[in-house]
Amino acid sequence: MHVSLLLCLLSKAQAITIQVPRNTVTAPVQGSALFSVDITCIGAPTIRWMFSSVNRQQSIAAWVLGGSANVTQMYEGRVQTHPNGSLTISNLRLQDSGYYIVTVTEMSGSSKDMGLVLTVTEHTETELQPL
Ligand SMILES: *[C@@H]1O[C@H](CO)[C@@H](O)[C@H](O)[C@H]1NC(C)=O
Ligand SMILES: *[C@@H]1O[C@H](CO)[C@@H](O)[C@H](O)[C@H]1NC(C)=O
């Protein structure tokens, strides 16, 4: 059993909490970004990641914590889901810049959202000008 599931089972008295060590992520084109979240809740929740920008909204992945993930076709091959609910997107493009929203839904139906901001920079690290 995953550690994150144990945490969920042990914290029955609590409502859902989502903690993010960093809510802004910056990564270069073709690099990868980890959206790290720490979730506590009751039972095995459903995790959903969505992308949102001015122009579009797009579902990225959804899974029941501990189970296999449904990854949206356009993200297949560049998305990795982690047992703690976190998400990694690799092979980044400029269009990936925007708002990433995670929704945690418990079996009971109650849910909570958290948003993170990704900025994809045009230059790879080797091309950065010295400060
Ligand atoms: C979640 O798991 C990923 C992959 O193992 C790890 O890199 C990340 O630090 C974890 N996040 C938290 C908040 O524990
Ligand atoms: C994953 O996809 C299957 C088949 O489309 C669907 O039945 C299931 O509910 C989905 N799971 C989640 C967590 O969205």
Side-chain angles (χ1 to χ4, degrees):
M1 189 182 276
H2 293 300
V3 173
S4 42
L5 280 181
L6 280 172
L7 282 177
C8 289
L9 294 171
L10 290 172
S11 57
K12 280 202 193 304
Q14 267 181 295
I16 303 167
T17 65
I18 307 172
Q19 290 184 344
V20 290
R22 292 190 318 150
N23 58 13
T24 60
V25 180
T26 304
V29 164
Q30 288 176 4
S32 66
L34 167 68
F35 300 111
S36 184
V37 293
D38 192 1
I39 295 163
T40 59
C41 57
I42 299 167
T46 301
I47 313 289
R48 279 174 213 287
W49 280 94
M50 293 259 308
F51 171 77
S52 180
S53 72
V54 184
N55 306 320
R56 65 194 180 96
Q57 279 218 332
Q58 177 68 54
S59 163
I60 301 171
W63 74 102
V64 176
L65 211 59
S68 62
N70 288 350
V71 176
T72 304
Q73 201 172 10
M74 66 178 290
Y75 284 96
E76 265 174 23
R78 27 187 226 125
V79 158
Q80 201 189 342
T81 58
H82 302 292
N84 61 9
S86 300
L87 186 83
T88 299
I89 301 182
S90 49
N91 194 12
L92 290 171
R93 301 151 193 180
L94 287 176
Q95 311 89 275
D96 290 327
S97 289
Y99 202 54
Y100 289 76
I101 300 149
V102 60
T103 306
V104 177
T105 309
E106 286 180 345
M107 242 76 110
S108 67
S110 59
S111 71
K112 192 160 183 177
D113 296 338
M114 178 66 77
L116 296 92
V117 176
L118 172 68
T119 306
V120 180
T121 56
E122 210 154 341
H123 300 281
T124 60
E125 274 170 47
T126 50
E127 288 169 339
L128 283 177
Q129 299 297 314
L131 293 173

